[in-house]
Amino acid sequence: MACVMLIALAAALIATVASVGGALLCRSRARSAADATALSAASAYWSGGASDLCAVGRRAAAENDAQLESCAVEGDDIVVTVSVPLRLPFMSRVSQRSRAGPISCE
């Protein structure tokens, strides 16, 4: 009986570690997608090549298997929030926020 309990405990521990690892991996993917989305939208904003920055951001997020949740211009910066799916029973998506804009090189 003790062996069965020990095996069940080990299985639960492995499942917990795998879930946390998967969540951290998805968080990293969301951060990368948010950064790429913000940079794409900021580049379009500063080059003047796009009239709808959020459409540029939506496209960049989709190319990174993410979904654009919000997009806003704050001063000279573009601020976006993107989310990626997470396959956990208690959390379906993980979101990250990113900001991109000009920085003086002086």
Side-chain angles (χ1 to χ4, degrees):
M1 187 62 147
C3 289
V4 172
M5 298 275 291
L6 184 59
I7 291 171
L9 180 63
L13 182 62
I14 290 170
T16 301
V17 169
S19 294
V20 170
L24 291 175
L25 181 64
C26 286
R27 180 176 166 220
S28 177
R29 280 186 38 225
R31 169 53 79 195
S32 296
D35 290 343
T37 300
L39 288 170
S40 295
S43 177
Y45 180 68
W46 285 101
S47 71
S51 59
D52 186 5
L53 301 175
C54 292
V56 172
R58 206 171 296 108
R59 209 169 26 256
E63 289 172 0
N64 286 284
D65 298 323
Q67 180 179 350
L68 182 65
E69 299 293 333
S70 70
C71 173
V73 177
E74 293 181 3
D76 289 337
D77 295 344
I78 307 298
V79 180
V80 299
T81 302
V82 302
S83 65
V84 296
L86 185 61
R87 294 184 184 100
L88 291 177
F90 52 87
M91 186 185 304
S92 63
R93 300 190 73 77
V94 63
S95 298
Q96 288 289 308
R97 184 173 183 258
S98 188
R99 172 185 298 267
I103 295 178
S104 175
C105 295
E106 298 174 359

